[in-house]
Amino acid sequence: MSKATNNLTMIYDDSCPMCNIYTKAFTRNNWIGNRCGFSTVSEEVLKSLDLNKSKNEIPLYDATTHITVYGIDALMTVLGNRFPVLKPLFLSIVFRFLVRKLYYFISFNRRIIAGTLPSAKGFDCTPAVNVKYRIYYMVFASLLGGYLFYSSGLWMMGAALSAYILISAVFHQQALDYIGHSKTIFLLTGIIAAILSSFIPVYFVMGLTLVFFIFFYAKRVQLIQKVHQEKGRFRVGFTITKGIIEICKLVLLLKAKKYHKENLPVWLNVPMSHTDEVGKDFYLYYAKENNFVLKETNSKGLCRLEDLNSKDFDAGLVNKKIKDFYAYTHLFEFGVEQKWDGWLTWPLRIFIKYYNSVSQQFNFNHIEADKTSTVANLLTPIQTSQGEMMSWARQNITSNTTMFAGFYQADQLPFDREQTCVTTRFPLLNACLMVKLKPVNDTNGDFSFQSEDTEFGRYSFYVVMRYHNNYYVTTLPVQEILSVKEINHQLEVDHQFKFFHRSFMKFKYHIKNIA
């Protein structure tokens, strides 16, 4: 080793396996005097470096001259000292241009390719996100991975996985990182598929490839979550759930009525959230954004049943205890029993589990089929342009989660003002679930609410979605039935949901006056 070579120290990204391999090869073959990882480099050397440049281009420090060169210049210095015959090639402008582009392609994406966390100590040399080179890498991985899937006879699987990656990226704050990591796994599983297809049947290749993809993809998703310190955003189950939601939205859009913002009917001007975090905190945001007034009153009830009187409903026939419950709801507490029912049990349990990981809306029990929880009613009246609405959050005291967070209002049907209803609205991210429930007199002073059909403008289950300045509205094949009765001097509520007239979830509420 010459004295000049002995004075050269390469400072490398010790969280990058590729950097580790080639710098180790340099020192083992005496092409440089020493190497030092950024996690252990001295303060004296760090002060001599351009730290921003060092993140993207590997530094080569000369201890004699105290001069540092970076990236391609550093590599060509090392290789030129070892192979002088290459120096004329290294001076070629065209060669340097092409090699520099290749170096940037690898360097800016090295953490995406290797899938490693930054070191917990020392200088963090994570490369900057260069959009141009990240897109180059994603296109490269997509084309090569797609070709490998095609050559393995699995082109449909390759297309499906690629489409899933792009669709699920919509729900990630760091979409470029997510797609980059996912495309790395797409390329890796394409290589595995190409190898396996040469000696085992295609159906076995398909199964093994899918297992490999899910395993490596899950690892990368966990890595992204750690790097960006996101809670819930990058969970595999949540990502899949959000993907399912978007697919369902696309299906609903095909049958939805479209309205421009200026032409949206008043009854469809519903509260929507700007975030997944809906919950009770949303009410303050909603009132402020729309210049509505939060009213402070001592008496907080969902509604007066007398406001629902019509030719088909008479509140005078309803049991007084039931009327008191609706007029003074804040004085009552629920004991809730929940039961999943029917063929939709397991798909919905899995869906609810991951949806609830970040949302404060629809927090149902997804593990146990039957479980009693204590639920408190948090109510705040809001004066709106459409009259007074009652904001209502059912807070599960047992699990400290929000079971429902929505708005409750005595109302009329939009196309038949003589028919009364209760309108409930549940804000979601850029969407809202709205149910118009028909009040019904039952026997012996009992009472029920029912959504009975899917006809537009009637007692139905609606979903309103917002995309830019357009609103899309459709009804869902979901029926809700809520029956209130007095049994042994205690109010009980049977609450049932049906999908295409088949039950999938039931609640039983034991209502207790806590005044």
Side-chain angles (χ1 to χ4, degrees):
M1 182 190 299
S2 68
K3 184 176 180 181
T5 302
N6 194 41
N7 291 328
L8 297 177
T9 300
M10 188 163 273
I11 301 97
Y12 69 101
D13 180 359
D14 44 357
S15 294
C16 170
M18 296 179 292
C19 305
N20 204 353
I21 290 170
Y22 77 75
T23 55
K24 187 175 183 179
F26 286 173
T27 53
R28 180 176 294 174
N29 291 286
N30 297 324
W31 294 3
I32 57 176
N34 193 19
R35 67 173 186 149
C36 184
F38 270 106
S39 64
T40 58
V41 70
S42 67
E43 286 293 329
E44 179 184 354
V45 174
L46 274 180
K47 289 178 182 178
S48 68
L49 301 179
D50 181 338
L51 296 182
N52 287 330
K53 195 171 185 178
S54 298
K55 292 181 177 183
N56 307 320
E57 302 180 59
I58 193 166
L60 181 67
Y61 175 71
D62 190 326
T64 303
T65 62
H66 302 290
I67 294 175
T68 305
V69 290
Y70 300 86
I72 284 299
D73 295 328
L75 295 178
M76 288 185 177
T77 298
V78 173
L79 294 173
N81 289 337
R82 179 64 181 83
F83 304 104
V85 70
L86 295 177
K87 284 187 177 180
L89 178 63
F90 293 163
L91 294 175
S92 168
I93 295 175
V94 174
F95 179 78
R96 291 178 69 89
F97 172 81
L98 294 175
V99 174
R100 191 180 301 276
K101 293 297 181 183
L102 177 61
Y103 179 86
Y104 285 156
F105 176 81
I106 296 172
S107 180
F108 280 115
N109 295 297
R110 65 182 188 270
R111 292 285 178 88
I112 298 297
I113 298 170
T116 54
L117 287 168
S119 176
K121 59 181 182 178
F123 176 68
D124 181 6
C125 61
T126 300
V129 177
N130 186 295
V131 176
K132 180 175 69 173
Y133 284 100
R134 183 60 53 80
I135 292 174
Y136 287 165
Y137 174 73
M138 292 187 298
V139 171
F140 168 78
S142 297
L143 292 177
L144 181 55
Y147 171 76
L148 292 169
F149 273 102
Y150 176 79
S151 64
S152 306
L154 301 176
W155 65 270
M156 290 187 67
M157 174 183 280
L161 293 177
S162 193
Y164 166 73
I165 290 169
L166 294 177
I167 292 172
S168 59
V170 175
F171 313 110
H172 295 282
Q173 294 171 334
Q174 306 292 338
L176 283 176
D177 275 10
Y178 171 78
I179 297 177
H181 279 289
S182 300
K183 285 298 182 181
T184 299
I185 301 308
F186 178 74
L187 176 57
L188 177 62
T189 50
I191 294 171
I192 292 172
I195 295 171
L196 293 177
S197 64
S198 61
F199 57 88
I200 61 175
V202 67
Y203 295 110
F204 290 106
V205 176
M206 184 183 299
L208 290 172
T209 300
L210 188 58
V211 169
F212 279 121
F213 178 84
I214 293 173
F215 175 78
F216 290 120
Y217 173 77
K219 291 293 184 183
R220 286 300 177 103
V221 166
Q222 292 170 359
L223 171 70
I224 299 170
Q225 185 177 352
K226 290 177 182 177
V227 170
H228 297 291
Q229 298 179 343
E230 294 285 347
K231 295 181 179 179
R233 288 275 180 183
F234 297 99
R235 291 178 183 171
V236 180
F238 179 67
T239 302
I240 294 171
T241 300
K242 292 286 276 185
I244 292 172
I245 290 173
E246 286 305 302
I247 292 171
C248 291
K249 282 184 179 180
L250 291 175
V251 173
L252 291 174
L253 286 175
L254 296 175
K255 56 170 287 193
K257 293 178 180 290
K258 179 181 177 181
Y259 296 92
H260 292 289
K261 184 177 182 180
E262 300 78 15
N263 302 324
L264 186 69
V266 173
W267 71 281
L268 295 176
N269 187 11
V270 293
M272 298 183 183
S273 178
H274 64 302
T275 172
D276 284 313
E277 302 289 338
V278 181
K280 56 184 175 57
D281 297 334
F282 171 75
Y283 301 130
L284 296 174
Y285 163 81
Y286 178 66
K288 182 179 179 181
E289 284 292 303
N290 294 277
N291 295 317
F292 294 156
V293 178
L294 293 175
K295 298 173 67 176
E296 292 298 328
T297 63
N298 292 325
S299 177
K300 298 176 183 177
L302 291 173
C303 69
R304 294 174 63 254
L305 293 187
E306 288 78 7
D307 294 338
L308 298 174
N309 280 331
S310 69
K311 62 181 180 180
D312 295 327
F313 175 73
D314 183 1
L317 300 178
V318 178
N319 184 308
K320 183 179 183 304
K321 286 187 178 180
I322 296 176
K323 290 195 286 187
D324 287 345
F325 164 68
Y326 279 94
Y328 308 104
T329 313
H330 71 295
L331 300 178
F332 292 82
E333 188 175 82
F334 292 176
V336 180
E337 296 175 15
Q338 177 190 329
K339 181 177 179 61
W340 294 96
D341 187 36
W343 61 280
L344 282 172
T345 293
W346 285 107
L348 281 172
R349 278 200 202 181
I350 294 170
F351 180 87
I352 288 294
K353 174 182 177 180
Y354 290 110
Y355 183 75
N356 290 349
S357 63
V358 295
S359 176
Q360 296 179 25
Q361 189 72 283
F362 306 140
N363 280 274
F364 307 134
N365 297 321
H366 61 271
I367 299 175
E368 298 182 50
D370 297 281
K371 185 175 181 180
T372 301
S373 304
T374 303
V375 176
N377 297 295
L378 309 177
L379 299 104
T380 303
I382 299 179
Q383 189 64 42
T384 75
S385 56
Q386 302 178 46
E388 183 176 290
M389 284 196 305
M390 181 63 68
S391 68
W392 181 25
R394 293 185 190 175
Q395 190 73 16
N396 190 322
I397 298 173
T398 307
S399 62
N400 194 30
T401 56
T402 303
M403 189 173 176
F404 292 106
F407 298 84
Y408 205 94
Q409 184 180 29
D411 205 354
Q412 298 89 33
L413 291 180
F415 307 131
D416 186 353
R417 309 301 290 181
E418 293 185 1
Q419 294 289 340
T420 58
C421 66
V422 157
T423 301
T424 59
R425 303 172 178 92
F426 301 100
L428 304 169
L429 177 61
N430 292 320
C432 182
L433 284 179
M434 177 174 66
V435 189
K436 289 194 173 290
L437 295 165
K438 178 181 181 179
V440 177
N441 290 112
D442 294 333
T443 58
N444 302 320
D446 296 338
F447 161 79
S448 63
F449 281 126
Q450 301 174 10
S451 65
E452 54 187 24
D453 53 40
T454 58
E455 185 180 346
F456 197 78
R458 298 291 297 171
Y459 303 105
S460 305
F461 216 100
Y462 301 85
V463 59
V464 185
M465 297 167 285
R466 177 177 62 203
Y467 286 93
H468 304 294
N469 290 323
N470 294 324
Y471 289 78
Y472 299 84
V473 187
T474 187
T475 59
L476 299 177
V478 177
Q479 295 82 41
E480 181 178 2
I481 303 169
L482 194 147
S483 302
V484 190
K485 59 188 72 174
E486 182 181 5
I487 299 177
N488 297 327
H489 306 291
Q490 183 182 22
L491 293 183
E492 290 190 0
V493 180
D494 289 319
H495 194 182
Q496 185 176 14
F497 292 90
K498 295 181 178 182
F499 184 67
F500 283 112
H501 303 286
R502 299 191 65 173
S503 176
F504 66 87
M505 189 189 300
K506 295 178 180 178
F507 296 96
K508 180 177 284 291
Y509 307 133
H510 304 279
I511 300 174
K512 180 175 66 174
N513 193 321
I514 57 174

